[in-house]
Amino acid sequence: MKPLKPLLLCAGLALACSSAAHAATPAGQIHPAQWPQPSWPLPADPAIERRIDDLMAKMSVEDKVGQIVQGDIASVTPAEVRKYRLGSVLAGGGSDPGGRYNARPAEWLALADAYWEASMDTSGGGHAIPIIWGIDAMHGQSNVVGATLFPHNIGLGATRNPDLLREIARITAVETRTTGMEWTFAPTVAVPQDDRWGRAYEGYSEDPALVARYAGVFVEGLQGKAGAADFLDDHHVMTTVKHFLGDGGTTNGKDQGDTTVTEAQLRDIHAAGYVPAIAAGAQSVMASFNSFHGEKMHGHKPLLTDVLKGQMNFGGFVVGDWNGHGQVKGCTNTDCAQTYVAGMDMAMAPDTWKGLYESTVKHVNDGTLPMARLDDAVRRILRAKLRMGLFEKPKPSARALGGRFELLGSPRHRAVARQAVRESLVLLKNQGGLLPLPPKQRVLVAGDGADSMTRQTGGWTLTWQGDGTKRDDFPNADTLWDGLKAQVQAAGGNAELALDGAYRTKPDVAIVVFGEDPYAEFQGDLPDLMFKGGRSGDLELIRKLKADGIPVVAVFISGRPLWLNREINAADAFVAAWLPGSEGAGVADVLLRGPDGKAQHDFSGKLSFSWPRRADQYANNVGQPGYDPQFAFGYGLTYADKGDLQPLSEEPGIDPTASRTSTWFDRGVAATGLTLRLTGADGEAMDIVHPNATTADGSVAMTAINTEVQEGGRQFSFAGNGLIELRANAPLDLDRETNGDVFVISTLRVDALPAGARVSYLATSGKTTRGDVSISKALTAAKVGQWTRLGVPLRCVRGAGVDMKQVDIPMALQAGKGVRLSLAKVAIGTDYDQEVTCAE
C-alpha cells in the first residue's frame, strides 16, 4: 500500500487539516491523482480470466444484462430468475420468505436453494451461472430468528478492539452461511459528522483513523485473509464496503442528502475506511444515496470509475443501493444507462428490476451503454463468483454450513457477543463510587428499556426499522433484566422488575434502563440532539426514585450520543450502553460485583463519538475548530477513576417545546414532537409503533407500502368511520404560517373512493374546538392510483374555528367504509398539485 500522507498527517484532525489544504479547490471538483493508492491483494488469475473469456463468448446481451440487475426476493421469483438469468437477488430490510419477518431459518435456506437451482437450470438454453444472494447482516445475521446479535457499530467503535471485530465478522459469516447466503452488505465504514443522522449508529466513529483501524480487519473476518487457503470458502462470505462516498457527511445530517465538503475532506475523512478495505480484498463496494455537491453518487463517474476503480485499484464490483440509480439526473427506477456508464456494475432494482432489465437491453443494443462497459461490469461480477468457487459448489443447503442451524446463537457465538457488550459500555459518571454494585441486596430494575429486546437490538433486526417484533422472536437472547435478575438471585439478592418504578419493597439501589426506540435509515433523522424522553417519563422516574432516597444507576440505550444533562445530573451513575444486541447479560457482568465482592469486569469502553454539551451542538467532532464537547472523544471512566461529576448545565441551547420542523409525517413515521394515531368507529384511539396496525374494532387498518423508497408510505383502509391523526405532543403555534397563506401539503394517493364518500381534513385546538374541511371534491378529481400533493390552506382550518396559536391535532383525515388512501408525507409549505377550497 502506498503511503497515505494526507490521511496520516490529518488523522483525528481531518476536518481542520483538509479545509486548510484545499480551501481554494472548486466545489465538487475531483482530482484522482491526489487520492490514495492501496494495493489490490489479488493478482490476476489466468485460469479465472480464461474461464470468464470462454463464458462471455457464449453469453447474449440478455444474459449479460441479467448479471448486472439485482431484484429483491419480495419481487422476483425463482421462475423469473430462470427466465431472465438474473445474477443476483437481495433480501431488503422488509423482505422475508413468505413475507413473514419471523420466517424460520429452514425457510430462508429453502429459498436460497430455489434461486440457486433456477440460476443453474440450463433446460431453456441458458448458461449455468450461480446466483449470489446479498443480505444486510448488519450486526450478525440479524434477519433470522435465533441468530447472534452483536452490538451495532457505534458500540463496537467504543471497544477499541480490532481483534474482537475480526472474530465478530467471522461469526457473522458462519451464521449467514447456515441460511444459504454468501454475500453481506457490510461493513459500513461511514464517518458520521452530524449525530442527527439516523444512521449514525452504523458508523464506528466520527474519527476517520479509528474507522480505518476497523475496516480491514472486519473485511478479513468476513471473507478470510486474501491469499490464505480459506479465503472466500464456505465458512466466509463476500463483503460490501459501504456507502461510497460521503454518506456520513451530508448537510445537516440528512439521510440521502448532499455532501458539500471539500474534495480533501471527502478523501481524508470519508474515504478513510475504503483504503484498508480494498487492501484486504473487499469484493464489492456499495454506492451511496447521497450526492457530492449536487451530483448523485450513483451517477458520479469521477468517483466511481476514476477514483475507486482507477486510482484506488479496487478490483471487485460496485453495487447500487435500493433504487439509488433512479435518483440520478435524467433517470427513473426502470431506466438508467447513466449509472452503468458512470461505473455501476450491478444496479439494485428491488421492485423495478424487470423494467430496468428491459431498458438496459435496449441501451446496449442502441449503443447508449457501450458493450465494453457492459463486459467490464459482467467480468467483475463473474470474477467474484469464480473467486468464491461458486461454479463448482452444490446448492446452498449442501455446502459445508448449509442447514447447521445449531450454530445460530450458539453458546460460543453468544459468548463473543457478550464480551463485545462488556467492552462497549462507556461509564460517564460514577458519583461516590456507587458502581460496581454488590449483587446481594435489593435491586430494582426499572425503565421501559429494561426488558425490551427491540430497544436493545435497534434497527436492522428481523425487520428493517427493528420494530414490531416480540420477545418470542429472540430465543437465543437475554434482555438486560434477564442478565441482572440471574446474577442478583444467584448471589442471594432480590431483583424486582417494575418498569414504572412502582416497587413493592423499597430497594437498596435502582437500575433505570431507558433510551431511543428502534429506527433505521431516514426514519431516525433528528432535528436536534435533545433526548425527548420515553413514554414512561425517564427523567421523572429517576428523580422520583432519588426523592425516595434510592441510589440510581442510569443505563442509556441509544444509536448516538444525545443531550441528557438533566438525566446525568439526576442519576448517581450513568452508563452509555449503545445498542448492545442480544446479550443484555453483558451489562450485568460489568455493573455487578462477583461472589468474591470484586468487580467481575471493569469498564473499558471509550467514546468513539464526542458527547454534546448542548442539544444544538451538531459540529462536535474531534479536531474541529472550537471543539468543546461535554465528554470528549476517547472519554470513558474505569473503576479506578474518580467518577464524580460537578452538576452539568441544564440549558439545552434550544427551545425544547418548539416545533423545529416543517415536516409532520414522512416515510411512515410522525416527526419529532408528533404522534401518529388511529381512531376507530368506536372512538378508541391507538398510538402507532409498528408499520402495520388495525384498530380494535377493525374500522381502520394501516399497512406499510413502498414508494420511491422501501416502506416509504402507509396505506389506510377504512371498514368503518375512522380517523388518522397526527397529534402534537405539545400545542403548536401556527398563527404566523396561517397569516402567511401556508398550506398543509399531503402527498397521498387515492386507492379506492366509493361514490358519494365523504373525506374530511380535521384539526383541533383544546378539548372542544374542532375544525372540519371537506376534501372529498379534491380527492374525487385525483386520479386513482397516482400520487398527488394535496394542499389544504391553513386559513381554511382557521376559518373552521381552530385557534391556530394552540393546535393540538394539526392534521387528521376522517373517512368511512370502502375508502382506501395511501400517505407518504405531510408537511407545511406552498408547493402543491391540487388545492382544496375552503368551502367545498
Side-chain angles (χ1 to χ4, degrees), residues 299-315:
H300 205 299
K301 187 176 184 293
L303 285 168
L304 291 182
T305 297
D306 302 339
V307 168
L308 179 62
K309 294 179 177 179
Q311 178 74 2
M312 296 183 75
N313 298 312
F314 173 58

